[in-house]
Amino acid sequence: GAVVSQHPSWVICKSGTSVKIECRSLDFQATTMFWYRQFPKQSLMLMATSNEGSKATYEQGVEKDKFLINHASLTLSTLTVTSAHPEDSSFYICSALPGQGTDTQYFGPGTRLTVL
Amino acid sequence: AQKITQTQPGMFVQEKEAVTLDCTYDTSDPSYGLFWYKQPSSGEMIFLIYQGSYDQQNATEGRYSLNFQKARKSANLVISASQLGDSAMYFCAMSKAQGNLIFGKGTKLSVKP
C-alpha cells in the first residue's frame, strides 16, 4: 500500500514552454501533498504544500506564479512549471500524506526536467 | 529554527556487516517525527523507518533500526547485515508542525562485496 505515482518520469522541453507534472496517490486519499525540488548531489528542498481544495502554501523564495500547483482531488496534485528556463532543470519529487494517524509521507518516483 | 544534520557525506561498509548512519536534529517543538529515507540512483525516495518523539522504544523495521537518543537529539540509523542493494543515498528528515519534512544533506552509503 501507500503508492504514489508521478508522470512523466522525465521530460525535455524548450525554454519558454510550460510543463505539467502529475502526482497521484494510487491506493489512498491524500489530504496533503508536497512538492520538492532536488538539484544534483543535494538534498530535497520543499517548494510548496498542497491541500485538497485550497490554495497551495509556498516556501519562501518559490515563485507561486511560476510554479502553479493544483490539488483538485484527494488523489491528484499537479505542478506546472510555466515559461520554463534552463535554471528550472531539476528533479521534482512529490509526496503524499495519507491523513489522520500518520506523519509518514510517501514519495513519488520523481520527474527529471531538462529545459533546453 | 529546526535543523537536521548528517555529518557523514559518505560511508563504506563491507557486505554482511552492520553500519550506523548519523543524524542529529534541533527543534524546540515538543512533538515531532523523525524519518529515514533511502534514495537509490533511480531517484525515488523509499521510506525506511519512523520514530515519534514520544515513542519510548526505538523503532525497528527488519534490518533497519533507529537509535533514538532524545537527550542528545540524535536519531542514528543502524543497518544490520548490509547487502549490495543497500548502496544508496540515505536522508534523515524531521516533520514540522505543518506536516512537511526538512531533510539533512544525506549520506552516500557504499556496500563493498
Side-chain angles (χ1 to χ4, degrees), chain B residues 20-67:
Chain B
T20 298
L21 306 183
D22 294 341
C23 173
T24 58
Y25 61 92
D26 192 16
T27 181
S28 56
D29 292 338
S31 179
Y32 50 89
L34 296 159
F35 303 79
W36 278 92
Y37 286 88
K38 172 184 177 181
Q39 188 178 42
S41 56
S42 56
E44 74 235 62
M45 293 287 283
I46 302 168
F47 166 70
L48 296 179
I49 197 165
Y50 165 80
Q51 180 85 43
S53 57
Y54 291 118
D55 293 343
Q56 296 294 321
Q57 291 189 320
N58 287 345
T60 59
E61 287 287 348
R63 294 186 299 113
Y64 305 108
S65 60
L66 199 152
N67 185 359

Side-chain angles (χ1 to χ4, degrees), chain A residues 9-20:
Chain A
S9 54
W10 59 270
V11 57
I12 301 173
C13 69
K14 291 183 178 180
S15 186
T17 60
S18 295
V19 174
K20 181 187 280 189

Side-chain angles (χ1 to χ4, degrees), chain A residues 6-81:
Chain A
Q6 265 183 258
H7 177 80
S9 54
W10 59 270
V11 57
I12 301 173
C13 69
K14 291 183 178 180
S15 186
T17 60
S18 295
V19 174
K20 181 187 280 189
I21 302 170
E22 291 186 351
C23 177
R24 292 182 186 273
S25 56
L26 298 184
D27 52 0
F28 64 96
Q29 293 186 326
T31 55
T32 307
M33 288 183 170
F34 303 91
W35 287 95
Y36 296 84
R37 183 173 182 176
Q38 185 179 31
F39 290 107
K41 299 187 187 300
Q42 293 189 23
S43 189
L44 279 72
M45 295 298 294
L46 179 68
M47 299 176 66
T49 302
S50 168
N51 288 296
E52 185 265 340
S54 62
K55 290 184 178 180
T57 302
Y58 291 81
E59 294 299 297
Q60 193 172 13
V62 178
E63 300 175 58
K64 61 180 180 181
D65 295 329
K66 181 167 185 62
F67 299 100
L68 300 179
I69 291 172
N70 184 277
H71 194 158
S73 77
L74 286 172
T75 59
L76 173 64
S77 177
T78 60
L79 168 68
T80 302
V81 183

